Tab-separated table of all heavy atoms in Angstrom:
chain	number	residue	atom	x	y	z
A	1	PRO	N	21.450	26.985	51.693
A	1	PRO	CA	21.800	25.570	52.166
A	1	PRO	C	23.249	25.337	52.108
A	1	PRO	O	23.690	24.311	52.522
A	1	PRO	CB	21.037	24.813	51.105
A	1	PRO	CG	20.923	25.510	49.895
A	1	PRO	CD	20.771	27.036	50.450
A	2	ASP	N	24.005	26.214	51.499
A	2	ASP	CA	25.478	26.233	51.496
A	2	ASP	C	25.907	24.927	50.800
A	2	ASP	O	26.871	24.267	51.151
A	2	ASP	CB	26.093	26.169	52.879
A	2	ASP	CG	25.865	27.573	53.573
A	2	ASP	OD1	25.716	28.585	52.868
A	2	ASP	OD2	25.846	27.697	54.764
A	3	ARG	N	25.273	24.571	49.661
A	3	ARG	CA	25.620	23.462	48.866
A	3	ARG	C	26.500	23.867	47.689
A	3	ARG	O	26.300	25.066	47.260
A	3	ARG	CB	24.383	22.658	48.325
A	3	ARG	CG	23.633	21.915	49.402
A	3	ARG	CD	22.680	21.006	48.659
A	3	ARG	NE	21.607	20.430	49.667
A	3	ARG	CZ	20.416	20.975	49.774
A	3	ARG	NH1	19.962	21.955	49.041
A	3	ARG	NH2	19.662	20.292	50.684
A	4	SER	N	27.263	23.195	47.127
A	4	SER	CA	28.132	23.529	46.048
A	4	SER	C	27.270	23.747	44.882
A	4	SER	O	26.420	23.062	44.442
A	4	SER	CB	29.261	22.513	45.756
A	4	SER	OG	30.258	22.479	46.679
A	5	VAL	N	27.569	24.795	44.136
A	5	VAL	CA	26.962	25.223	42.875
A	5	VAL	C	28.093	25.195	41.831
A	5	VAL	O	29.115	26.045	41.946
A	5	VAL	CB	26.322	26.543	42.923
A	5	VAL	CG1	25.612	26.882	41.475
A	5	VAL	CG2	25.190	26.572	43.912
A	6	TYR	N	27.957	24.253	40.867
A	6	TYR	CA	29.167	23.992	39.944
A	6	TYR	C	28.740	24.757	38.635
A	6	TYR	O	27.920	24.406	37.808
A	6	TYR	CB	29.171	22.513	39.571
A	6	TYR	CG	29.577	21.667	40.894
A	6	TYR	CD1	28.458	21.181	41.595
A	6	TYR	CD2	30.924	21.366	41.170
A	6	TYR	CE1	28.806	20.272	42.656
A	6	TYR	CE2	31.164	20.602	42.297
A	6	TYR	CZ	30.102	20.029	42.981
A	6	TYR	OH	30.456	19.305	44.144
A	7	ILE	N	29.425	25.821	38.457
A	7	ILE	CA	29.282	26.714	37.278
A	7	ILE	C	30.776	26.776	36.680
A	7	ILE	O	31.574	27.318	37.243
A	7	ILE	CB	28.770	28.076	37.495
A	7	ILE	CG1	27.349	28.010	38.293
A	7	ILE	CG2	28.640	28.911	36.246
A	7	ILE	CD1	26.979	29.335	38.860
A	8	ALA	N	30.825	26.213	35.526
A	8	ALA	CA	32.220	26.015	34.977
A	8	ALA	C	32.092	26.068	33.381
A	8	ALA	O	31.169	25.761	32.839
A	8	ALA	CB	32.711	24.753	35.397
A	9	TYR	N	33.179	26.401	32.797
A	9	TYR	CA	33.435	26.302	31.335
A	9	TYR	C	34.819	25.997	30.958
A	9	TYR	O	35.759	26.194	31.729
A	9	TYR	CB	32.851	27.641	30.809
A	9	TYR	CG	33.871	28.818	30.985
A	9	TYR	CD1	34.845	29.113	29.961
A	9	TYR	CD2	33.797	29.635	32.062
A	9	TYR	CE1	35.750	30.125	30.115
A	9	TYR	CE2	34.736	30.576	32.176
A	9	TYR	CZ	35.626	30.938	31.272
A	9	TYR	OH	36.453	32.110	31.454
A	10	ARG	N	35.027	25.564	29.614
A	10	ARG	CA	36.461	25.403	29.162
A	10	ARG	C	36.354	25.831	27.636
A	10	ARG	O	35.508	25.405	26.902
A	10	ARG	CB	36.712	23.988	29.221
A	10	ARG	CG	38.123	23.630	28.725
A	10	ARG	CD	38.605	22.150	28.901
A	10	ARG	NE	37.691	21.285	28.343
A	10	ARG	CZ	37.756	19.938	28.580
A	10	ARG	NH1	38.735	19.437	29.489
A	10	ARG	NH2	36.942	19.115	28.142
A	11	THR	N	37.350	26.600	27.304
A	11	THR	CA	37.593	26.926	25.962
A	11	THR	C	38.931	26.497	25.370
A	11	THR	O	39.902	26.525	26.243
A	11	THR	CB	37.417	28.474	25.686
A	11	THR	OG1	38.319	29.246	26.490
A	11	THR	CG2	35.947	28.995	25.929
A	12	GLY	N	39.056	26.079	24.181
A	12	GLY	CA	40.384	25.740	23.703
A	12	GLY	C	40.978	24.622	24.603
A	12	GLY	O	40.292	23.672	24.945
A	13	ARG	N	42.312	24.721	24.835
A	13	ARG	CA	42.963	23.779	25.538
A	13	ARG	C	43.331	24.313	26.963
A	13	ARG	O	44.272	23.808	27.588
A	13	ARG	CB	44.148	23.450	24.732
A	13	ARG	CG	43.971	22.722	23.444
A	13	ARG	CD	45.051	22.681	22.409
A	13	ARG	NE	44.653	22.032	21.203
A	13	ARG	CZ	43.960	22.619	20.211
A	13	ARG	NH1	43.586	23.906	20.397
A	13	ARG	NH2	43.657	22.012	19.044
A	14	ALA	N	42.635	25.257	27.331
A	14	ALA	CA	42.861	25.810	28.716
A	14	ALA	C	42.298	24.971	29.713
A	14	ALA	O	41.304	24.113	29.496
A	14	ALA	CB	42.211	27.251	28.755
A	15	PRO	N	42.639	25.119	31.059
A	15	PRO	CA	41.950	24.385	32.076
A	15	PRO	C	40.392	24.726	32.139
A	15	PRO	O	40.102	25.729	31.808
A	15	PRO	CB	42.810	24.810	33.376
A	15	PRO	CG	43.948	25.378	32.776
A	15	PRO	CD	43.772	25.955	31.438
A	16	VAL	N	39.793	23.920	32.877
A	16	VAL	CA	38.296	24.217	33.126
A	16	VAL	C	38.361	25.239	34.143
A	16	VAL	O	39.046	25.289	35.164
A	16	VAL	CB	37.624	22.859	33.738
A	16	VAL	CG1	36.243	23.209	34.161
A	16	VAL	CG2	37.705	21.859	32.799
A	17	GLN	N	37.540	26.339	33.897
A	17	GLN	CA	37.381	27.439	34.745
A	17	GLN	C	36.197	27.281	35.622
A	17	GLN	O	35.056	27.188	35.141
A	17	GLN	CB	37.161	28.750	33.924
A	17	GLN	CG	38.226	28.949	32.866
A	17	GLN	CD	39.642	29.440	33.477
A	17	GLN	OE1	39.671	30.158	34.310
A	17	GLN	NE2	40.647	28.762	33.090
A	18	VAL	N	36.483	27.129	36.953
A	18	VAL	CA	35.234	26.850	37.929
A	18	VAL	C	35.092	28.159	38.708
A	18	VAL	O	35.942	28.614	39.421
A	18	VAL	CB	35.575	25.711	38.791
A	18	VAL	CG1	34.472	25.417	39.776
A	18	VAL	CG2	35.891	24.451	38.023
A	19	LEU	N	33.883	28.627	38.550
A	19	LEU	CA	33.441	29.904	39.344
A	19	LEU	C	33.412	29.648	40.799
A	19	LEU	O	33.303	28.414	41.412
A	19	LEU	CB	32.138	30.400	38.784
A	19	LEU	CG	32.277	31.378	37.643
A	19	LEU	CD1	32.876	30.780	36.373
A	19	LEU	CD2	30.944	32.001	37.313
A	20	PRO	N	33.694	30.614	41.685
A	20	PRO	CA	33.992	30.366	43.064
A	20	PRO	C	32.773	30.184	43.921
A	20	PRO	O	32.470	30.811	44.903
A	20	PRO	CB	34.721	31.630	43.502
A	20	PRO	CG	34.157	32.759	42.694
A	20	PRO	CD	33.922	32.052	41.325
A	21	PHE	N	31.825	29.262	43.484
A	21	PHE	CA	30.584	28.983	44.213
A	21	PHE	C	30.488	27.477	44.815
A	21	PHE	O	29.425	26.997	45.023
A	21	PHE	CB	29.418	29.330	43.362
A	21	PHE	CG	29.387	30.677	42.789
A	21	PHE	CD1	29.293	31.007	41.409
A	21	PHE	CD2	29.377	31.779	43.695
A	21	PHE	CE1	29.329	32.304	40.979
A	21	PHE	CE2	29.354	33.071	43.327
A	21	PHE	CZ	29.346	33.369	41.979
A	22	LEU	N	31.640	27.063	45.071
A	22	LEU	CA	31.679	25.655	45.777
A	22	LEU	C	31.736	25.919	47.224
A	22	LEU	O	32.380	26.856	47.729
A	22	LEU	CB	32.915	24.968	45.261
A	22	LEU	CG	33.121	24.593	43.835
A	22	LEU	CD1	34.292	23.754	43.641
A	22	LEU	CD2	31.906	24.213	43.224
A	23	SER	N	31.042	24.970	47.956
A	23	SER	CA	31.109	25.130	49.416
A	23	SER	C	32.251	24.384	50.023
A	23	SER	O	32.542	24.489	51.230
A	23	SER	CB	29.791	24.568	50.011
A	23	SER	OG	29.564	23.226	49.708
A	24	ALA	N	32.965	23.574	49.239
A	24	ALA	CA	34.115	22.824	49.655
A	24	ALA	C	34.964	22.498	48.407
A	24	ALA	O	34.513	22.498	47.291
A	24	ALA	CB	33.769	21.613	50.288
A	25	PRO	N	36.307	22.346	48.677
A	25	PRO	CA	37.111	22.045	47.358
A	25	PRO	C	36.759	20.875	46.659
A	25	PRO	O	36.113	19.958	47.309
A	25	PRO	CB	38.631	21.925	48.090
A	25	PRO	CG	38.472	22.574	49.334
A	25	PRO	CD	36.988	22.396	49.876
A	26	LEU	N	36.995	20.699	45.484
A	26	LEU	CA	36.681	19.489	44.622
A	26	LEU	C	37.484	18.338	45.356
A	26	LEU	O	38.580	18.385	45.727
A	26	LEU	CB	37.169	19.605	43.188
A	26	LEU	CG	36.467	20.695	42.392
A	26	LEU	CD1	37.148	20.977	41.033
A	26	LEU	CD2	35.022	20.349	42.088
A	27	GLY	N	36.664	17.197	45.360
A	27	GLY	CA	37.178	16.004	46.129
A	27	GLY	C	37.556	15.011	45.204
A	27	GLY	O	37.925	15.274	43.845
A	28	LEU	N	37.635	13.813	45.684
A	28	LEU	CA	38.146	12.588	44.882
A	28	LEU	C	37.149	11.941	44.054
A	28	LEU	O	37.379	10.989	43.357
A	28	LEU	CB	38.755	11.549	45.897
A	28	LEU	CG	39.970	11.959	46.707
A	28	LEU	CD1	40.309	10.846	47.744
A	28	LEU	CD2	41.223	12.139	45.750
A	29	GLY	N	35.925	12.378	44.255
A	29	GLY	CA	34.804	11.719	43.436
A	29	GLY	C	34.679	10.390	43.948
A	29	GLY	O	34.660	9.954	45.211
A	30	GLU	N	34.443	9.403	43.044
A	30	GLU	CA	34.154	8.019	43.404
A	30	GLU	C	35.389	7.303	43.985
A	30	GLU	O	35.210	6.323	44.704
A	30	GLU	CB	33.711	7.152	42.143
A	30	GLU	CG	34.934	6.832	41.239
A	30	GLU	CD	35.132	7.823	40.195
A	30	GLU	OE1	34.684	8.985	40.401
A	30	GLU	OE2	35.843	7.604	39.169
């Protein structure tokens, strides 16, 4: 269906690591 699959993690103070299974870049949300 080519929908985004959000698989992500964060450790320590590092950025959130988002695995490359999104169908489009992260947007503005609300």
Side-chain angles (χ1 to χ4, degrees):
D2 295 335
R3 297 191 186 100
S4 286
V5 178
Y6 300 88
I7 302 169
Y9 73 93
R10 179 174 61 188
T11 56
R13 294 160 182 84
V16 178
Q17 307 289 315
V18 181
L19 273 60
F21 300 124
L22 306 184
S23 59
L26 293 172
L28 294 173
E30 75 275 13

